[in-house]
Amino acid sequence: MSGTTSPERPAAGARGARLLVAIIGGGFLLLIAAFVGMIFFVHDEARLNAVGPIAAAPGAERGGVIFHGTANIWEVRGRLSQDGARQASVAIDFVGPTGQPAPADLAVRLGLERADDGSAAQALEHRLLRPGSLVATSAPLAPGRWRLRITLPEIEAVQEFRVEP
């Protein structure tokens, strides 16, 4: 009876197919759970990238950095420089997805905080030059690592920098 299959053979094939489906299905469910879990682990904070240095010059005797990044829908383009008295000067432009400047009434707050000790950010008063462009100047800063916090609706953008002694 060579044409007859044994009853164990189809059961073993079905068991292997079920195991394969369970592994693929479990992996898919694990992937979905990871995507859903990202909501709880992702901070509402965007890091801005330093894209180039600012050479020392009058008014920026300690040089500085040009930074760039994205916060929510806004492209953030900025310059941060330090003068001889260790005051930081910040100039920031916000550009929308179609190239338009941010509206003049966009709720923006600036703050400076020490990166070393985790203290609360000090508010940094700014003034609007034109829609989407603002400038600010800090009080003299102590040497060490600092963070500029740009708070927009629903997100904060952060740029770190150093103040040398």
Side-chain angles (χ1 to χ4, degrees):
M1 302 223 177
S2 60
T4 308
T5 58
S6 73
E8 295 129 24
R9 192 167 203 115
R15 205 173 315 127
R18 282 189 212 120
L19 181 61
L20 181 62
V21 167
I23 290 172
I24 292 172
F28 182 70
L29 289 175
L30 186 61
L31 184 63
I32 289 175
F35 282 130
V36 170
M38 283 175 37
I39 295 168
F40 302 105
F41 296 112
V42 173
H43 299 285
D44 294 334
E45 182 177 284
R47 296 273 178 194
L48 301 173
N49 300 313
V51 295
I54 296 174
E61 288 82 7
R62 295 173 172 264
V65 65
I66 298 171
F67 57 89
H68 188 257
T70 304
N72 204 349
I73 64 166
W74 304 107
E75 181 181 349
V76 180
R77 301 175 186 166
R79 298 170 50 90
L80 189 145
S81 61
Q82 300 173 43
D83 66 10
R86 293 194 310 260
Q87 287 183 299
S89 296
V90 181
I92 302 172
D93 293 317
F94 297 99
V95 180
T98 59
Q100 82 279 14
D105 62 349
L106 178 66
V108 178
R109 287 191 332 263
L110 300 179
L112 287 172
E113 68 183 17
R114 293 290 305 250
D116 301 330
D117 63 11
S119 60
Q122 309 165 12
L124 185 60
E125 295 299 319
H126 65 275
R127 64 185 172 90
L128 197 63
L129 295 177
R130 62 187 172 279
S133 295
L134 56 91
V135 294
T137 302
S138 75
L141 301 174
R145 288 182 33 231
W146 287 82
R147 279 189 199 108
L148 169 66
R149 287 201 173 272
I150 304 166
T151 304
L152 297 163
E154 301 178 8
I155 195 164
E156 279 188 334
V158 178
Q159 173 62 45
E160 291 196 12
F161 64 99
R162 267 192 99 64
V163 176
E164 299 296 332

